Amino acid sequence: MRLAIFGGTFDPVHRGHLEVAREAATKVSLDRVLFVPASHPPHKGYRAHAPYGDRVRMLELACEGEPRFEVSRLEEGEPVSYSVHTIEKVRSTLAPSQELFFLIGADAFAELPTWHRWRDVVKLVTFIVASRPGHVYTVPEGARVIELPTLALTVSSSELRRRLAAGESPPEIPPKVLEYIRSRGLYGGTG
Ligand code: ATP
Ligand code: MG
């Protein structure tokens, strides 16, 4: 069983997240990608725009029909979402010899040395780092990294939130997720 954790705010989930996860699953032969939405992301200067329950639901809709993808509520109710806590929880369910992967984009990986207990994190996982246009990174000492260098997807949740607020229907958002956003009145779009 080869498993990767994919953490993020997913506010909202978009095609970039899904393509990165598919590419990782194929290239690294993963059996499962565990999407773990953060309850309170420490790296964002804001609270998430959509409530935790809505971000989980959007992920569930986006992962329908993807047998390797699963959505986890591991960070539900955590006052702060630190990846090291999530990683330790997942690790504790695995055999000690089993490798655990952590899927991440280049922008987030570049900030690794600012994470809570990052030196413990690098001991616990092998990173799968997806390239992201405009973001370079160096590999911190001791980190194991598998690079996914071919992806160059410019899509981001921040840009999609702006376009939703302007009333657009961005094709980078899966149709069922877009429908959910409309039905819940998320992100200020009138639809
Ligand atoms: P925001 O603009 O709000 O920061 P985002 O699009 O960066 O949203 P996050 O939820 O912050 O999405 O990201 C979750 C994970 O997915 C991070 O590791 C991030 O680097 C990665 N990721 C998101 N979009 C892409 C992309 N287009 N290419 C590669 N990785 C991505
Ligand atoms: Mg981001």
Side-chain angles (χ1 to χ4, degrees), residues 9 32 85 123 187:
T9 317
R32 190 142 61 105
H85 295 157
K123 287 183 201 138
Y187 307 115

Side-chain angles (χ1 to χ4, degrees), residues 2-161:
R2 286 164 69 83
L3 165 68
I5 294 171
F6 190 15
T9 317
F10 303 108
D11 193 15
V13 59
H14 55 66
R15 190 160 73 195
H17 298 127
L18 300 168
E19 287 192 20
V20 161
R22 281 188 207 110
E23 172 95 346
T26 303
K27 291 270 165 71
V28 187
S29 305
L30 301 170
D31 300 297
R32 190 142 61 105
V33 177
L34 196 59
F35 289 72
V36 187
S39 51
H40 297 292
H43 288 280
K44 307 262 164 150
Y46 55 83
R47 296 173 80 79
H49 294 263
Y52 178 78
D54 287 323
R55 289 182 288 117
V56 170
R57 191 66 200 121
M58 289 188 281
L59 275 169
E60 286 171 351
L61 291 168
C63 291
E64 272 177 12
E66 296 273 1
R68 295 172 298 187
F69 295 177
E70 195 181 312
V71 185
S72 160
R73 289 180 174 266
L74 264 180
E75 293 188 3
E76 183 165 25
E78 299 257 324
V80 196
S81 304
Y82 288 127
S83 296
V84 68
H85 295 157
T86 303
I87 291 164
E88 284 174 338
K89 280 185 204 166
V90 175
R91 260 258 75 109
S92 71
T93 68
L94 306 175
S97 62
Q98 194 178 328
E99 190 167 13
L100 175 61
F101 298 90
F102 193 97
L103 177 58
I104 187 165
D107 61 310
F109 185 70
E111 292 178 1
L112 174 65
T114 69
W115 291 14
H116 180 56
R117 292 177 49 203
W118 74 270
R119 287 175 201 281
D120 291 329
V121 172
V122 302
K123 287 183 201 138
L124 293 167
V125 298
T126 300
F127 285 95
I128 305 171
V129 184
S131 62
R132 202 167 181 184
H135 295 278
V136 291
Y137 60 88
T138 51
V139 176
E141 196 191 320
R144 280 160 298 173
V145 168
I146 297 170
E147 298 188 316
L148 297 181
T150 52
L151 294 166
L153 309 163
T154 53
V155 55
S156 72
S157 299
S158 351
E159 193 212 318
L160 293 172
R161 287 193 300 272

